[in-house]
Amino acid sequence: MSIIEQAARRLDALNRAGIDVPWEAAGVEARDAVAQLARVGTARDAWDPRERREAGAGTAEAPCAPSPPAAPLDLAHLATSGLLVPGLEESALGTDFRRAKRALLEQVRPALAARPGSGAVVVVTSAVDGEGRTTCAINLALSMAMEVDTSVVLVEADVRRPQVLTRLGLPGGAGLSELLADPQLPLARAIVPTSLPGLSVLPAGEPDARAHERLAGPGMRSLVTQLVGHRPDRIVVVDAPALLRSADAGALAALATQVVVVVAAQRTPRAQVRQAFAMLDSALPVVA
C-alpha cells in the first residue's frame, strides 16, 4: 500500500469516527494534505537497502537482514501534539520552523562545503529541562526531511528521559544504547524508517548503566560517522539532554556541525542560559 493510500485510509477512518482532523480547521482539505505529502516523497529513503548493507559491513548476517518496514506517522496525533504535519508547510508552525531551518542550513552548508563527502550533525539541547527541546528537535527533523534533497536521521540521545518515540507514536526496540554496547550490532537493527520519505529515527533503546560513559566515548563518534554515511544530503539531528542536567550534552556537542540551544522565553533565568553557553565554548565555536 502506498503512503498516499495509507494516509487516505487513515483520514477516512478518522472522519467515520467523527474525529475532526486538525488541519481542516486551518482551511486545508485533508486530501490536499495527502497530495502534498506525496510530493514530499521525492527524497530518497533515509535508510535504503544499499546503506543497510554498508552499515552492516563486517557482520555475517547484516547484508541479508530484511529491511524494516516503515513505521506510519499518525498525522492527527502529530497535529494535536504540537508537531509539524508533513504536507502542511504553510501552517503557522510550519512557517516558523521553515524559517528556523533555513537559518540553520545557512550555517551548516558552509561547513559541509569545507568537508566534501560528509553530512551534518545538528545537536539540539537546552539549559534546563522543560524548555521545549525535544519538540524543537522533532520539528526541525520533520521540516528538514521535507526538503527534496535532504534525508534526516533523528537520534534520541537523552537516554535517561527519552521522549522522541512517544511524541511521534513510533514503536520501541533496540536503539542507541544497544549500538554503543555492541559495535557489531548492525545499524539496520535499530534504525526506524518512517512513512515520511527521508526521515528515520534512532531510538534511545533500553536503559544502560554505562550509557553516559559510552556517549562520551569513541564509540559514539564512530556511530555518528556511520549515521552520516559520507552523504552530503544527510543531516543527523540529535535530541540531547539539557546542558545543566547532564554532561552528555557537552560530549555530544563536541561531535556537532552545529548546536541549537532552545531557551524558554521569559522563563529561563539569564544566569542559567549564560552557564549553558559557557559549557559549549570549548565544544564548538559557533552556536545557534
Side-chain angles (χ1 to χ4, degrees), residues 103-283:
L104 184 61
L105 290 176
E106 286 179 4
Q107 298 288 335
V108 167
R109 282 172 176 155
L112 297 181
R115 299 183 302 164
S118 65
V121 179
V122 177
V123 171
V124 182
T125 184
S126 59
V128 295
D129 289 319
E131 298 191 86
R133 177 193 71 250
T134 297
T135 298
C136 287
I138 294 173
N139 282 338
L140 277 175
L142 286 166
S143 185
M144 288 178 174
M146 285 185 252
E147 294 281 310
V148 174
D149 58 350
T150 302
S151 68
V152 179
V153 178
L154 175 59
V155 179
E156 189 175 43
D158 190 348
V159 294
R160 289 182 59 190
R161 301 179 183 178
Q163 298 182 42
V164 170
L165 287 188
T166 301
R167 297 291 304 279
L168 288 174
L170 296 177
L176 180 60
S177 294
E178 286 78 10
L179 289 172
L180 292 177
D182 181 8
Q184 298 303 310
L185 182 68
L187 280 175
R189 293 287 186 85
I191 295 288
V192 179
T194 74
S195 55
L196 173 61
L199 176 66
S200 296
V201 177
L202 175 58
E206 293 298 319
D208 183 350
R210 298 193 59 193
H212 302 294
E213 288 77 13
R214 290 179 174 132
L215 283 170
M220 186 64 193
R221 182 176 295 275
S222 175
L223 177 57
V224 167
T225 299
Q226 292 182 65
L227 289 172
V228 170
H230 303 289
R231 283 181 51 181
D233 67 335
R234 166 65 50 74
I235 297 181
V236 176
V237 178
V238 181
D239 179 34
L243 284 158
L244 301 187
R245 167 166 62 86
S246 171
D248 297 344
L252 293 167
L255 308 177
T257 310
Q258 193 79 14
V259 176
V260 175
V261 180
V262 179
V263 178
Q266 301 180 340
R267 193 177 73 186
T268 307
R270 289 178 180 270
Q272 290 184 329
V273 176
R274 293 193 186 99
Q275 186 180 354
F277 273 77
M279 292 177 66
L280 292 169
D281 282 346
S282 59

Side-chain angles (χ1 to χ4, degrees), residues 2 24 44 61 107 118 164 176 190 242 250 254 284 286 288:
S2 71
E24 291 179 348
R44 186 161 66 91
E61 59 179 331
Q107 298 288 335
S118 65
V164 170
L176 180 60
L284 201 69
V286 179

Side-chain angles (χ1 to χ4, degrees), residues 65-120:
S67 303
L73 293 175
D74 187 325
L75 306 184
H77 174 72
L78 294 181
T80 56
S81 299
L83 299 175
L84 287 178
V85 177
L88 295 187
E89 295 91 334
E90 299 308 318
S91 66
L93 186 63
T95 299
D96 288 343
F97 273 93
R98 187 166 59 251
R99 289 171 179 164
K101 171 183 65 178
R102 296 296 177 211
L104 184 61
L105 290 176
E106 286 179 4
Q107 298 288 335
V108 167
R109 282 172 176 155
L112 297 181
R115 299 183 302 164
S118 65

Side-chain angles (χ1 to χ4, degrees), residues 5 20 32 37 40 64 68-69 77 103 116 155 203 248 250 266:
E5 293 169 330
D20 183 25
D32 293 341
L37 180 57
V40 171
C64 299
H77 174 72
V155 179
D248 297 344
Q266 301 180 340

